[in-house]
């Protein structure tokens, strides 16, 4: 790319348009958009393949703005290249109901691939996208047709590099040799506190080289458009390593506050903005102004439509030669599951031997793994304990891209963030596993799963004090409460085999929500009245009696204890299994009141925090302390999770409410 007048004019117009947005909103980040404009322009104008008229075209290049606070730049680019973002949308930056929110959100804005803002998450999402892309290439490309040939591009900043999750994902990306992943590092030496010399003096390039990355640099990222393009083209030639391009820039270039932390998160004053426009050859009296020649030069609608039309012709030829493959890809892109897939799932009867729900989870995954080719799984170095291996496949590695099992290593946070990227790519349903207690490492990424409406399945085993001897450091107490507090997160804690099957059915059908399956280490008995179908109601009556005195409501392994307590009691005790609060809350009031009878006192039973159970019960048998190290049976007994204690507490509750009205 020659640094011609029109290229320079486009970059400067982009800088000024992006700076207009925070100034008008009196909120936002102008520094990074101004500094990153040259590299972003080169990507969108000269490198990337996409169609603004169809943001969902499967073979488009993916772009991730990992430093999401620079979103004024991304919105300006999307407007200028022809996505359905108007100047009025840019003027509505950071206002209620706009499609230009304060950080990019994938379900709000056409052309935004992933929700970014928490630093480092976008980079990890891009690693996931690159994994998904390589998986699709291995599965669908044929000797006579390279159907999938796109790239994943990232812009990231110093803050992204400082987040530990970036190191987790970068290490794995280097190990997997993801050569179609190219990251441009906005190397401006500034963070919110000041210069990076305050806290960040490592050699980022050397670190990434040690991860197995190809590292390049551009000395003048403020002006050298040709150098930026040359570096990207060189990166594309290296197919066995991801590439990091260090692009040296000046944050807030042209501003009176350039090269300082003050230009990071504070809008430019009107006078400063006018001076910036003057320096860049733009009319200082005009705001949100796009010169006609810039608009014409930056529009990508015609080229994008041409590129997609050529690909559609290729796909038509591919369909004729490989009809089954083509149909499989189309089904997955539509997020449709195969016909009759549920017939493959296991069902259980009460006479079957007791088993751990983590092991039953493995049975379920393997019953449908060969048919649901969109499933791509893995574990954070706990595969034998999580029971997540797919017998129908093998490892996804650099030499075996057709594998559907990812060895994430001990990288729980990275695993979750990478799975968000795999899901966002659009053709896979990722699942990943660790112990439920270690979900704390991953919550930052899981929150983004929920915000982003991504179908990610978290398989969390060893779900309570029932894991036993490993003790309080490994026994989750507050984990369920924190997950249930998260909007759009479906938390399943199945009691037996049928409920485990039903939890997977629900998770696989929740196309716009993540799910967490919380599974036992210890064996549980199969319930007489459970079924996969009942899980869809969130809760159901597992033991019904006439004229009930009390109801026991529980989840997971404690449901079986409640059934035994009901058998011991002299009272009429109902037992309700509640595998999923979120699904139960969505049921009609008539159904909910038929399960949890308003006039009958209710005792909740769960070997975890009691927080939240007050919505459903009048008294609680739960955990108010951390656990203890001992065999599971001894731990349960110590904390009162025995049929005898539950029967006694139920009797005490029933006796109290004989003389008091049962509250609604």
């Amino acid at each position: 790319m020659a640094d011609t007048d029109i290229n320079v004019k486009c970059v400067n117009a982009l800088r000024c348009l992006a700076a207009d947005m925070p100034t008008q909103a009196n909120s936002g980040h102008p520094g990074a958009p101004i500094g990153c404009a040259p590299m972003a322009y080169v990507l969108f104008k000269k490198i990337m393949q996409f169609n603004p008229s169809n943001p969902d075209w499967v073979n488009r290049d993916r772009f991730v703005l990992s430093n999401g606070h620079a979103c004024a730049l991304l919105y300006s680019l999307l407007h200028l290249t022809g996505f359905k973002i108007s100047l009025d949308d840019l003027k509505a930056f950071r206002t209620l109901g706009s499609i230009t929110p304060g950080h990019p959100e994938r379900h709000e804005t056409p052309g935004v691939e992933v929700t970014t803002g928490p630093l480092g998450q976008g980079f990890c999402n891009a690693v996931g996208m690159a994994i998904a892309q390589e998986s699709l290439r291995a599965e669908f490309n044929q000797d006579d047709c390279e159907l999938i040939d796109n790239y994943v591009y990232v812009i990231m900043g110093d803050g992204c590099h400082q987040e530990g999750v970036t190191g987790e994902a970068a290490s794995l990306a280097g190990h997997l040799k993801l050569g179609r992943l190219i990251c441009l590092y906005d190397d401006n030496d500034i963070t919110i506190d000041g210069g990076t010399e305050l806290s960040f003096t490592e050699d980022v390039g050397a670190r990434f080289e040690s991860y197995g990355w190809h590292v390049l640099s551009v000395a003048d990222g403020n002006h050298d458009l040709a150098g930026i393009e040359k570096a990207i083209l060189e990166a594309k030639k290296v197919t066995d390593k991801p590439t990091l391009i260090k692009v040296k820039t000046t944050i807030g270039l042209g501003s009176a506050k350039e090269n300082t932390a003050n230009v990071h998160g504070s809008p430019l004053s009107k006078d400063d903005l006018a001076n910036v426009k003057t320096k860049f050859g733009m009319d200082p009296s005009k705001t949100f102004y796009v010169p006609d020649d810039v608009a014409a030069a930056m529009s990508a609608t015609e080229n994008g439509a041409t590129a997609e039309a050529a690909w559609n012709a290729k796909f038509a030829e591919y369909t004729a030669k490989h009809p089954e493959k083509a149909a499989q890809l189309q089904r997955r892109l539509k997020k449709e599951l195969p016909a009759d897939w549920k017939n493959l799932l296991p069902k259980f009867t009460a006479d079957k031997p007791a088993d751990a729900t983590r092991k039953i989870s493995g049975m379920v995954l393997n019953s449908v793994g060969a048919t649901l080719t969109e499933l791509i799984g893995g574990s954070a170095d706990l595969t034998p304990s999580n029971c997540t291996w797919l017998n129908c496949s093998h490892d996804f590695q650099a030499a075996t891209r057709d594998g559907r099992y990812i060895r994430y290593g001990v990288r729980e946070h990275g695993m979750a963030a990478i799975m968000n990227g795999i899901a966002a790519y659009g053709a896979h349903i990722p699942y990943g596993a660790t112990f439920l207690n270690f979900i704390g490492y991953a919550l930052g990424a899981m929150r983004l799963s929920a915000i982003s409406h991504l179908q990610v399945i978290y398989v969390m085993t060893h779900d309570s004090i029932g894991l036993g001897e490993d003790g309080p450091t490994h026994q989750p107490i507050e984990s369920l409460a924190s997950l249930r507090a998260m909007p759009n997160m479906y938390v399943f804690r199945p009691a037996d085999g049928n409920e485990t099957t039903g939890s997977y059915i629900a998770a696989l059908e929740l196309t716009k929500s993540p799910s967490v399956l919380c599974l036992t280490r210890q064996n549980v008995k199969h319930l007489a009245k459970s079924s996969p179908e009942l899980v869809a109601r969130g809760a159901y009556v597992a033991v019904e009696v006439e004229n009930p005195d009390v109801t026991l409501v529980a989840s997971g392994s404690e449901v079986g204890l409640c059934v035994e307590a009901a058998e011991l009691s002299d009272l009429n005790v109902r037992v309700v299994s509640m595998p999923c609060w979120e699904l139960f809350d969505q049921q009609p009031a008539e159904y909910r009141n038929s399960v949890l009878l308003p006039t009958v006192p209710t005792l909740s039973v769960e070997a975890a925090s009691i927080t939240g159970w007050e919505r459903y019960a009048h008294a609680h048998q739960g955990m108010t302390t951390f656990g203890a190290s001992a065999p599971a049976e001894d731990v349960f007994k110590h904390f009162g999770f025995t049929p005898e204690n539950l029967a006694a507490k139920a009797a005490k509750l029933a006796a109290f409410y004989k003389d008091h009205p049962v509250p609604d």
Side-chain angles (χ1 to χ4, degrees):
M1 170 187 282
D3 298 341
T4 61
D5 289 345
I6 187 59
N7 288 324
V8 173
K9 186 174 182 179
C10 285
V11 169
N12 290 338
L14 179 59
R15 283 169 164 150
C16 294
L17 185 60
D20 274 330
M21 295 167 66
T23 296
Q24 169 142 320
N26 196 29
S27 174
H29 304 73
I34 293 173
C36 292
M39 68 179 90
Y41 172 76
V42 172
L43 276 176
F44 275 74
K45 176 62 180 175
K46 296 296 182 179
I47 301 294
M48 287 171 52
Q49 179 175 261
F50 58 93
N51 182 8
S53 299
N54 181 14
D56 296 325
W57 173 32
V58 64
N59 200 46
R60 69 191 181 278
D61 289 328
R62 271 44 169 198
F63 173 74
V64 174
L65 184 68
S66 188
N67 48 339
H69 56 270
C71 58
L73 172 63
L74 177 55
Y75 300 150
S76 298
L77 279 165
L78 295 175
H79 165 71
L80 291 169
T81 52
F83 287 83
K84 290 182 179 179
I85 300 177
S86 68
L87 275 178
D88 285 339
D89 292 323
L90 300 187
K91 293 175 183 178
F93 181 52
R94 289 190 162 219
T95 61
L96 187 64
S98 78
I99 63 169
T100 49
H103 289 84
E105 298 184 38
R106 68 180 298 270
H107 57 287
E108 296 285 349
T109 312
V112 171
E113 299 284 357
V114 290
T115 298
T116 58
L119 294 176
Q121 295 290 334
F123 171 84
C124 302
N125 297 164
V127 173
M129 288 179 164
I131 289 172
Q133 190 257 9
E134 292 290 0
S135 175
L136 275 195
R137 283 174 57 81
E139 185 173 359
F140 291 103
N141 285 1
Q142 303 295 311
D143 291 340
D144 59 1
C145 182
E146 188 179 20
L147 189 66
I148 306 297
D149 64 355
N150 53 345
Y151 284 78
V152 180
Y153 297 97
V154 187
I155 289 179
M156 62 192 303
D158 289 298
C160 294
H161 282 296
Q162 292 176 54
E163 291 286 355
V165 71
T166 299
E168 293 182 25
S171 173
L172 185 60
H175 166 75
L176 292 174
K177 303 182 185 299
L178 300 175
R180 288 177 174 262
L181 173 62
I182 298 174
C183 302
L184 285 79
Y185 166 26
D186 176 28
D187 185 9
N188 63 29
D189 295 326
I190 295 293
T191 61
I192 292 176
D193 275 1
T196 52
E197 73 275 3
L198 294 174
S199 61
F200 188 58
T201 54
E202 68 183 48
D203 186 335
V204 173
R207 175 159 64 97
F208 271 67
E209 285 179 341
S210 76
Y211 289 150
W213 285 60
H214 175 221
V215 178
L216 300 170
S217 62
V218 177
D220 181 10
N222 295 327
H223 306 101
D224 188 4
L225 304 181
I228 294 170
E229 183 180 19
K230 180 181 177 182
I232 297 170
L233 293 176
E234 183 178 340
K236 293 181 72 171
K237 295 177 184 177
V238 177
T239 60
D240 62 345
K241 294 181 179 181
T243 296
L244 178 75
I245 305 174
K246 297 177 62 179
V247 184
K248 202 68 182 176
T249 66
T250 301
I251 189 171
L253 181 70
S255 164
K257 301 184 290 184
E258 74 171 39
N259 202 34
T260 71
N262 294 329
V263 78
H264 167 81
S266 299
L268 303 185
S269 69
K270 291 183 179 180
D271 288 343
D272 194 12
L273 179 56
N275 289 333
V276 167
K277 290 179 179 180
T278 299
K279 289 180 181 178
F280 289 136
M282 305 297 291
D283 188 338
S285 68
K286 294 181 178 179
T287 60
F288 294 94
Y289 173 62
V290 180
D292 290 343
D293 54 347
V294 169
M298 292 204 65
S299 174
T301 53
E302 184 176 344
N303 288 343
T306 299
E308 184 177 1
W311 187 87
N312 288 339
K314 180 189 289 189
F315 186 64
E317 183 179 342
Y318 179 93
T319 302
K321 294 180 178 178
H322 311 284
E324 291 184 4
K325 287 281 188 183
Q328 182 83 272
L329 179 60
Q330 288 177 312
R331 176 189 67 76
R332 285 167 52 174
L333 293 173
K334 293 176 183 176
K335 296 197 177 297
E336 296 175 352
L337 297 173
D340 302 324
W341 70 277
K342 294 179 189 177
N343 294 339
L344 301 170
L345 294 164
K347 290 188 177 183
F348 302 86
T349 56
D351 59 347
K352 294 288 185 181
D355 209 345
T357 55
R358 64 183 174 122
K359 294 181 180 178
I360 297 166
S361 166
M363 296 179 203
V364 174
L365 284 169
N366 280 291
S367 71
V368 297
T371 299
L372 300 186
T373 57
E374 53 266 71
L375 279 176
I376 183 167
S379 169
D381 199 49
L382 287 169
T383 297
S385 296
N386 297 145
C387 305
T388 42
W389 175 254
L390 279 180
N391 294 328
C392 65
S393 190
H394 49 270
D395 283 343
F396 177 91
Q397 297 283 0
T400 52
R401 297 293 200 215
D402 58 336
R404 290 164 50 203
Y405 197 80
I406 301 168
R407 304 288 184 167
Y408 285 105
V410 189
R411 304 182 180 102
E412 294 89 354
H413 195 183
M415 175 179 71
I418 287 168
M419 288 197 295
N420 284 341
I422 294 173
Y425 193 91
H428 296 83
I429 300 175
Y431 70 88
T434 185
F435 291 170
L436 178 57
N437 189 61
F438 298 146
I439 210 165
Y441 284 126
L443 280 174
M446 295 179 71
R447 187 171 186 271
L448 286 172
S449 303
I451 290 175
S452 305
H453 303 280
L454 292 170
Q455 187 178 21
V456 178
I457 300 175
Y458 295 94
V459 181
M460 301 289 114
T461 68
H462 298 60
D463 71 337
S464 76
I465 58 173
L467 70 84
E469 291 88 345
D470 278 338
T473 61
H474 284 52
Q475 293 166 355
I477 302 299
E478 76 290 349
S479 303
L480 288 170
S482 63
L483 290 168
R484 288 167 175 159
M486 196 177 295
N488 196 38
M489 180 69 73
Y490 287 78
V491 182
F492 297 87
R493 191 163 183 254
D496 71 349
N498 284 330
E499 288 194 11
T500 304
T501 293
S503 296
Y504 269 103
I505 292 173
L508 288 165
E509 291 181 339
L510 286 165
T511 59
K512 296 183 179 180
S513 302
S515 302
V516 185
L517 276 66
C518 306
L519 306 166
T520 66
R521 180 196 184 204
Q522 74 275 23
N523 290 347
V524 293
K525 296 178 181 179
H526 300 287
L527 305 175
K529 291 190 176 181
S530 70
S531 76
E533 294 74 21
L534 287 170
V535 174
R537 307 304 296 268
Y540 64 94
V541 180
V543 175
E544 186 61 282
V545 294
E546 293 184 2
N547 302 315
D549 298 302
V550 66
T551 296
L552 303 181
V553 57
S555 75
S557 53
E558 292 76 75
V559 177
L561 296 178
C562 290
V563 172
E564 292 181 43
E567 294 170 351
L568 287 176
S569 178
D570 295 329
L571 301 176
N572 294 330
V573 181
R574 297 169 81 247
V575 177
V576 169
S577 178
M578 188 179 282
C580 182
W581 291 14
E582 295 77 21
L583 289 176
F584 182 66
D585 289 345
Q586 293 171 10
Q587 303 308 307
E590 181 180 2
Y591 178 78
R592 286 184 277 117
N593 289 334
S594 73
V595 174
L596 296 176
L597 301 175
T599 59
V600 176
T602 301
L603 174 70
S604 71
V605 182
E606 190 170 66
S609 169
I610 63 175
T611 301
W613 277 108
E614 65 275 3
R615 294 157 57 188
Y616 309 109
H618 306 99
H620 316 285
Q621 173 63 39
M623 296 295 295
T624 57
T625 68
F626 292 108
S629 176
E633 184 177 350
D634 294 342
V635 176
F636 267 99
K637 183 177 181 180
H638 176 72
F639 287 106
F641 292 94
T642 63
E644 294 79 11
N645 185 57
L646 297 180
K649 289 196 73 168
K652 185 177 179 181
L653 181 65
F656 176 83
Y657 281 111
K658 278 190 176 181
D659 300 322
H660 299 83
V662 178
D664 291 338

